[in-house]
């Protein structure tokens, strides 16, 4: 890329107005001016002022701000509370930290793109976003594995072996995520060859294909683990029912069904947020309309908004810590709420 070429601040195209087009190539002639280049007086007289900021980028930046604020609260609570050091809370903290970095990455990408207009800054922020969202998805898998182990090995779960296994998972998931995030920075990008670009610039088509296939494999593994978790929960509920001569309509059976429904909601939310973008990035390339990419990418970021609600704010111990941070007290309803099968 020549030094006098206009820098592309958008995730997708050098043309700031191409997001609204219904088709055509995403690659425009940089010599005609890119985002951040002010129009000439002749162009102003000939037509309306072009949009200097992509509205979809504003949506992504707003999502990033919400994600960062929400997950920063979770990280702060877990960090300041010494009682939240069990493997489960470490994994929830890893998820919150990954989502926090993802939110900051979206905000930084918007800021650097429209202020610095630098290829180096673009690569760094995209690398941060890739690494953070990868760590978020890996943390979700780690949480699923932890929940399965806590049920399958209920008697030996709270042991030093479990803690060591948790630390090993954390090191592996963050190490792998860092490697994935460094790929665009170390040269695996399409800045020098626009034809190799994927639906998200400057990631290459092969890079995005690897990420998408990895996601599908992780989703399949999570699905299998949640099926096993449901079987264990239902088997335990049946054993308790036999021991206490409970009927199917008893409160315990209702809460067990609620727990299974909760698992379905967790997995369904994860799939609804990420699956559209994953499938689309596999079948599409840089010639597809940018509108489709934004329409699938924005919901994927919403998964990081929902994660704290599902995994952190529903947890009784974290609820107590939040009440202590916010008002210095814990309501009686939160302090004495018993754990039920719906809390899986």
């Amino acid at each position: 890329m020549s030094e006098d070429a206009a820098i592309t601040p958008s995730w997708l195209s050098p043309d700031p107005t191409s997001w609204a087009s219904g088709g055509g190539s995403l690659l425009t002639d940089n010599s005609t001016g890119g985002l951040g280049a002010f129009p000439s007086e002749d162009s102003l007289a000939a037509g309306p002022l072009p949009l200097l900021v992509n509205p979809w980028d504003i949506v992504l930046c707003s999502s990033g701000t919400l994600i960062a604020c929400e997950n920063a609260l979770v990280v702060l609570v877990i960090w300041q509370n010494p009682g939240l050091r069990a493997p489960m809370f470490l994994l929830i903290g890893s998820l919150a930290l990954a989502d926090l970095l993802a939110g900051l990455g979206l905000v930084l990408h918007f800021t650097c793109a429209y202020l610095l207009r630098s290829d180096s800054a673009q690569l760094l922020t995209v690398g941060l976003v890739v690494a953070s969202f990868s760590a978020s998805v890996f943390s979700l898998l780690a949480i699923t594995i932890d929940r399965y182990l806590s049920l399958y090995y209920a008697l030996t779960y709270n042991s030093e072996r479990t803690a060591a296994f948790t630390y090993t998972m954390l090191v592996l998931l963050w190490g792998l995520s860092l490697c994935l995030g460094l790929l665009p920075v170390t040269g695996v990008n399409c800045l020098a060859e626009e034809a190799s670009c994927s639906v998200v610039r400057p990631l290459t088509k092969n890079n995005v294909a690897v990420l998408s296939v990895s996601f599908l494999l992780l989703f399949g593994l999570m699905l299998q683990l949640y099926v096993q978790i449901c079987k264990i929960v239902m088997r335990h509920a049946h054993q308790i029912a036999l021991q206490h001569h409970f009927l199917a309509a008893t409160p315990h059976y209702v809460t067990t069904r609620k727990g299974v429904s909760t698992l379905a909601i967790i997995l369904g939310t994860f799939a609804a947020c990420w699956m559209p973008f994953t499938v689309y990035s596999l079948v599409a390339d840089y010639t597809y309309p940018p509108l489709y990419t934004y329409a699938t990418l924005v919901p994927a970021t919403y998964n990081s908004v929902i994660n704290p609600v599902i995994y952190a704010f529903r947890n009784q111990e974290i609820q107590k810590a939040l009440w202590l941070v916010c008002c210095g007290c814990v309501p009686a309803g939160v302090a004495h709420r018993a754990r039920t099968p719906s809390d899986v």
Side-chain angles (χ1 to χ4, degrees):
M1 180 175 293
S2 61
E3 295 180 356
D4 58 345
I7 301 301
T8 305
S10 170
W11 290 88
L12 305 173
S13 168
D15 183 4
T17 60
S18 65
W19 58 272
S21 63
S25 175
L26 299 183
L27 302 178
T28 57
D29 185 2
N30 285 339
S31 64
T32 62
L35 191 55
F38 291 97
S40 63
E41 294 181 359
D42 295 338
S43 63
L44 289 176
L49 180 67
L51 291 175
L52 297 181
V53 179
N54 189 331
W56 284 99
D57 285 336
I58 296 178
V59 173
L60 286 175
C61 183
S62 301
S63 299
T65 303
L66 177 60
I67 291 170
C69 294
E70 192 178 14
N71 287 278
L73 180 61
V74 178
V75 173
L76 179 63
V77 168
I78 295 178
W79 177 268
Q80 289 188 341
N81 195 327
L84 302 179
R85 293 295 182 269
M88 174 181 62
F89 296 113
L90 293 178
L91 295 175
I92 293 177
S94 172
L95 174 63
L97 178 60
D99 288 335
L100 169 61
L101 293 176
L104 292 177
L106 292 174
V107 175
L108 288 175
H109 181 81
F110 179 87
T111 303
C112 294
Y114 287 94
L115 294 181
L116 297 181
R117 296 192 295 274
S118 167
D119 279 346
S120 299
Q122 183 185 31
L123 290 175
L124 288 175
T125 54
V126 170
L128 175 61
V129 170
V130 171
S132 302
F133 279 123
S134 298
S136 177
V137 174
F138 288 141
S139 294
L140 290 175
L141 174 62
I143 291 175
T144 307
I145 295 175
D146 179 74
R147 287 180 168 179
Y148 172 76
L149 295 178
S150 67
L151 293 174
Y152 193 83
Y153 300 103
L155 297 179
T156 60
Y157 172 74
N158 294 315
S159 63
E160 294 183 359
R161 180 181 300 179
T162 302
F165 180 72
T166 301
Y167 286 120
T168 302
M169 285 197 299
L170 289 174
V171 172
L172 290 177
L173 75 88
W174 279 100
L176 181 57
S177 300
L178 181 61
C179 292
L180 293 175
L182 286 176
L183 288 179
V185 182
T186 55
V188 185
N189 59 69
C190 64
L191 294 181
E193 186 181 356
E194 296 285 353
S196 64
C197 283
S198 65
V199 293
V200 177
R201 190 181 186 273
L203 300 180
T204 64
K205 177 68 175 177
N206 291 336
N207 191 352
V208 171
V210 170
L211 294 174
S212 299
V213 172
S214 299
F215 169 84
L216 293 176
L217 293 176
L218 292 177
F219 178 77
L221 180 57
M222 290 177 61
L223 178 60
Q224 178 63 25
L225 287 173
Y226 273 124
V227 169
Q228 297 302 319
I229 290 174
C230 288
K231 291 181 179 179
I232 295 174
V233 170
M234 297 301 295
R235 184 169 64 249
H236 288 178
H238 180 68
Q239 292 174 350
I240 294 175
L242 292 178
Q243 292 174 2
H244 297 275
H245 305 286
F246 284 167
L247 298 177
T250 58
H252 186 86
Y253 179 80
V254 173
T255 55
T256 301
R257 287 199 311 173
K258 184 179 178 182
V260 175
S261 300
T262 301
L263 295 178
I265 292 174
I266 290 173
L267 197 61
T269 301
F270 179 65
C273 290
W274 277 106
M275 196 62 70
F277 177 73
T278 301
V279 175
Y280 176 75
S281 61
L282 279 175
V283 301
D285 56 29
Y286 71 97
T287 62
Y288 279 59
L291 179 62
Y292 298 159
T293 301
Y294 279 113
T296 55
L297 180 60
V298 171
T301 64
Y302 290 161
N303 184 243
S304 295
V305 178
I306 301 173
N307 282 339
V309 178
I310 294 178
Y311 295 95
F313 298 147
R314 291 176 62 253
N315 185 275
Q316 183 180 357
E317 299 301 322
I318 294 181
Q319 287 180 11
K320 293 178 181 179
L322 284 173
W323 277 104
L324 288 174
V325 170
C326 295
C327 64
C329 62
V330 180
V334 176
H336 301 293
R337 183 175 71 88
R339 181 175 175 85
T340 67
S342 62
D343 294 327
V344 293

